[in-house]
Amino acid sequence: MNKQHDYYQARAARQREMAEQLSGSAREQYLTLAAMYEALATEPKKPDGQPREAKVHEPEPEEDEQAYLQRRAREERARASNSDDPAVRRIRFEMADEYLRRAEAAKVA
């Protein structure tokens, strides 16, 4: 096909060869890399002279104060559940509760 296709095919084959010698998570990592290179090799190429389409960054809609505070509360609860330290968990849950209290106050106002 073309040089880029051959390059990625060779890289994928090399990653598979290295994976054969390994086991466990290291093997999985090399197989994942091989799949990524394989995907790059099969990606359709744009015809010459046509630049790739640029992704248009659309601004996210503005969130109101209540939605913002509720989102922050969810984020703090997620961080708290990922923590192993009981003191950190307690503080993060208290912060989440405070965000929810403020969100309720913003709803009334």
Side-chain angles (χ1 to χ4, degrees):
M1 292 185 119
N2 63 30
K3 288 183 191 179
Q4 187 175 11
H5 175 271
D6 296 339
Y7 170 77
Y8 286 129
Q9 285 289 352
R11 292 293 303 254
R14 178 70 180 130
Q15 296 299 320
R16 278 191 225 96
E17 289 173 9
M18 293 171 67
E20 293 296 321
Q21 301 170 4
L22 301 170
S23 63
S25 64
R27 178 184 170 89
E28 292 300 318
Q29 289 176 344
Y30 278 93
L31 290 174
T32 301
L33 283 172
M36 290 170 59
Y37 283 125
E38 189 71 31
L40 287 170
T42 58
E43 182 178 283
K45 186 177 178 184
K46 289 280 187 186
D48 291 337
Q50 290 184 356
R52 287 186 171 233
E53 297 175 14
K55 292 185 181 180
V56 177
H57 177 67
E58 297 178 14
E60 294 183 16
E62 291 286 324
E63 62 182 343
D64 63 348
E65 184 178 6
Q66 181 184 1
Y68 168 76
L69 292 169
Q70 289 172 341
R71 179 176 56 82
R72 289 298 307 257
R74 285 192 305 272
E75 291 170 354
E76 285 302 325
R77 286 190 185 280
R79 288 186 188 109
S81 64
N82 288 335
S83 177
D84 293 334
D85 186 355
V88 171
R89 290 175 67 113
R90 182 181 49 79
I91 292 169
R92 289 211 182 270
F93 277 123
E94 287 174 3
M95 289 173 61
D97 291 341
E98 178 63 20
Y99 281 127
L100 288 176
R101 187 189 64 73
R102 289 182 183 184
E104 285 298 316
K107 185 191 316 185
V108 173

